[in-house]
């Protein structure tokens, strides 16, 4: 269920082909390292890890690390280990998220928790985090270690913030931005920043990539928020309307609730707070969001952060990697077109 989002007419979706091509050789090494480091004599660990790792994710975050390192002429081996660490951090977060959210589907497949149970998902996520930190240490850059370990802490804080605000319709837009900045954007930011760090780029360059990653991550998550009410399961990698059924207070809900009538707010409280969220409720929710411009304004916010990300890179020297990173912004936004 859902409506097809078509903002400013039908356009061809933007592509990250240049990013994929530029990082292809290094990503081959990352994928080999992922398989190696996800291995264990404990049989269940590689089973659970590979279930998610091999499920078709774009590996966007590690590609950001590789491209950002290339952009500043890095010629060592550390970027491959850091990119793998970034992917392991992301995978661990997904395993933990699915337990907290009681999700049944991830990237079109049953979640690990549905197959092996919650305990296995949490513990394998912890194993992957441990492997990520081992690789960071092997690289030998204290600054890169500081950036990624700080991101891990911030992501956990974001999870707790979201849990504390669960089903709270009085959540403000600023509070929601604080959650997604921690949960999603922090890892994008760290993934982009460690590239110039190990390339020993200037502080200005590092700050530019940090800002790019942070704002790209915010845009990415806001588009996900919008797609849950107007995308497809193929786009999302989960069931359309899952956020609604799970009682998640995302930006489209916040805007529709605040702009709604007293009767409409009663509907939202019943759906989100009392968990009365069936297909008919989802259809009504989408109708209210459309009436109050909540989905369109969520996309507008995403475009705003996308422009900040673009401006962060603007002063940097023109390179194929810079162009590819700009394409990523357009790709993230174009998922709703």
């Amino acid at each position: 269920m859902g409506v097809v989002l078509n903002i400013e007419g039908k356009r061809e979706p933007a592509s990250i082909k240049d990013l994929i091509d530029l990082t292809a050789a290094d990503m081959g090494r990352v994928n080999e390292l992922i398989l190696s480091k996800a291995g264990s004599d404990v049989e269940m660990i590689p089973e659970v890890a590979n279930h998610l790792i091999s499920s078709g994710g774009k590996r966007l975050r590690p590609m950001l690390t590789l491209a950002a390192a290339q952009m500043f002429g890095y010629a060592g081996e550390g970027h491959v280990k850091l990119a793998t660490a970034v992917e392991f951090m992301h995978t661990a977060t997904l395993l933990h998220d699915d337990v907290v959210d009681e999700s049944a589907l991830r990237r079109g497949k049953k979640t690990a928790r549905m197959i092996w149970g919650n305990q296995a998902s949490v513990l394998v996520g912890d194993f992957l985090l441990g492997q990520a930190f081992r690789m960071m240490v092997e690289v030998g850059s204290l600054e890169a270690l500081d950036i990624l370990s700080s991101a891990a802490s911030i992501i956990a804080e974001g999870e707790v913030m979201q849990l504390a605000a669960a089903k709270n319709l009085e959540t403000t837009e600023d509070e929601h931005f604080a959650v997604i900045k921690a949960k999603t954007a922090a890892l994008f930011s760290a993934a982009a920043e460690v590239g110039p760090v190990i390339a020993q780029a200037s502080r200005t360059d590092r700050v530019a990539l940090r800002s790019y990653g942070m704002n790209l991550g915010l845009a990415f998550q806001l588009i996900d928020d919008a797609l849950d009410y107007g995308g497809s399961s193929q786009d999302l990698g989960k069931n359309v309307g899952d956020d609604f059924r799970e009682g998640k207070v995302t930006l489209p809900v916040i805007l529709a609730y605040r702009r709604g009538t007293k009767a409409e707010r009663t509907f939202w409280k019943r759906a989100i707070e009392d968990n009365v969220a069936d297909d008919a409720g989802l259809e009504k929710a989408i109708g209210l969001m459309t009436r109050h411009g909540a989905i369109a304004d969520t996309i507008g916010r995403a475009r705003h952060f996308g422009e900040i990300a673009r401006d962060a890179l603007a002063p940097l020297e023109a390179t194929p990697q810079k162009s590819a990173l700009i394409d990523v912004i357009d790709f993230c936004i174009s998922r709703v077109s």
Side-chain angles (χ1 to χ4, degrees):
M1 183 174 295
V3 294
V4 176
L5 295 173
N6 188 1
I7 307 300
E8 297 178 358
K10 181 70 177 176
R11 296 176 296 170
E12 287 297 315
S15 171
I16 56 170
K17 182 180 182 302
D18 287 348
L19 179 70
I20 292 170
D21 290 346
L22 285 166
T23 60
D26 285 338
M27 276 304 298
R29 295 156 66 200
V30 167
N31 290 330
E32 290 175 3
L33 194 55
I34 284 172
L35 293 175
S36 171
K37 295 296 185 179
S40 169
D41 292 335
V42 180
E43 185 176 339
M44 187 181 286
I45 289 176
E47 285 182 359
V48 176
N50 289 329
H51 173 77
L52 185 52
I53 289 168
S54 64
S55 63
K58 294 182 180 66
R59 306 250 162 97
L60 181 57
R61 294 157 188 81
M63 284 194 287
L64 294 182
T65 299
L66 297 174
Q70 291 175 5
M71 190 174 175
F72 299 100
Y74 181 71
E77 300 289 326
H79 64 322
V80 171
K81 289 183 177 180
L82 291 179
T84 306
V86 164
E87 183 63 12
F88 272 19
M89 288 173 66
H90 176 55
T91 303
T93 301
L94 298 184
L95 287 167
H96 291 163
D97 273 357
D98 288 339
V99 171
V100 172
D101 298 337
E102 299 182 345
S103 298
L105 192 68
R106 168 73 66 181
R107 295 173 182 165
K109 295 168 62 175
K110 281 186 176 180
T111 53
R113 63 172 288 272
M114 296 296 290
I115 301 172
W116 290 279
N118 288 338
Q119 296 95 329
S121 291
V122 170
L123 294 173
V124 172
D126 291 345
F127 170 82
L128 293 177
L129 282 175
Q131 292 291 72
F133 281 104
R134 287 178 66 183
M135 284 183 283
M136 293 176 213
V137 171
E138 288 171 6
V139 171
S141 168
L142 280 176
E143 192 169 1
L145 176 61
D146 179 53
I147 290 165
L148 287 170
S149 61
S150 294
S153 178
I154 291 167
I155 292 165
E157 287 178 340
E159 289 286 353
V160 176
M161 287 166 60
Q162 185 178 56
L163 192 63
K167 298 183 181 296
N168 179 11
L169 285 163
E170 300 306 320
T171 300
T172 66
E173 191 168 338
D174 283 346
E175 288 170 337
H176 181 62
F177 284 149
V179 170
I180 64 175
K181 185 176 182 179
K183 270 198 63 182
T184 302
L187 186 56
F188 273 90
S189 180
E193 186 181 1
V194 292
V197 164
I198 60 169
Q200 297 186 326
S202 71
R203 184 181 181 281
T204 299
D205 292 335
R206 298 176 191 185
V207 170
L209 268 294
R210 181 196 310 159
S211 175
Y212 162 82
M214 180 63 70
N215 287 286
L216 174 67
L218 289 168
F220 184 93
Q221 185 58 55
L222 289 173
I223 293 298
D224 264 8
D225 286 356
L227 282 172
D228 194 73
Y229 291 94
S232 68
S233 294
Q234 184 177 0
D235 292 330
L236 282 168
K238 61 180 183 177
N239 293 312
V240 172
D242 271 358
D243 286 354
F244 179 73
R245 295 183 187 94
E246 293 167 7
K248 287 187 178 178
V249 180
T250 59
L251 188 58
V253 173
I254 291 168
L255 296 178
Y257 175 76
R258 290 185 173 274
R259 295 170 181 177
T261 64
K262 183 176 180 181
E264 289 168 359
R265 285 194 288 274
T266 299
F267 159 78
W268 285 113
K269 287 181 178 179
R270 178 171 164 78
I272 301 297
E273 294 180 356
D274 299 336
N275 203 32
V276 182
D278 53 16
D279 286 348
L282 176 59
E283 188 172 351
K284 181 172 181 178
I286 292 169
L288 292 176
M289 288 174 178
T290 302
R291 179 186 307 170
H292 294 294
I295 297 175
D297 284 353
T298 297
I299 296 165
R301 307 287 200 279
R303 286 194 171 126
H304 167 72
F305 288 116
E307 289 305 314
I308 298 174
R310 191 187 309 272
D311 288 341
L313 295 183
L316 303 184
E317 180 182 347
T319 64
Q321 289 80 11
K322 174 182 172 179
S323 177
L325 292 177
I326 291 171
D327 287 344
V328 175
I329 303 168
D330 297 328
F331 169 77
C332 288
I333 304 296
S334 76
R335 291 181 299 152
V336 298
S337 299

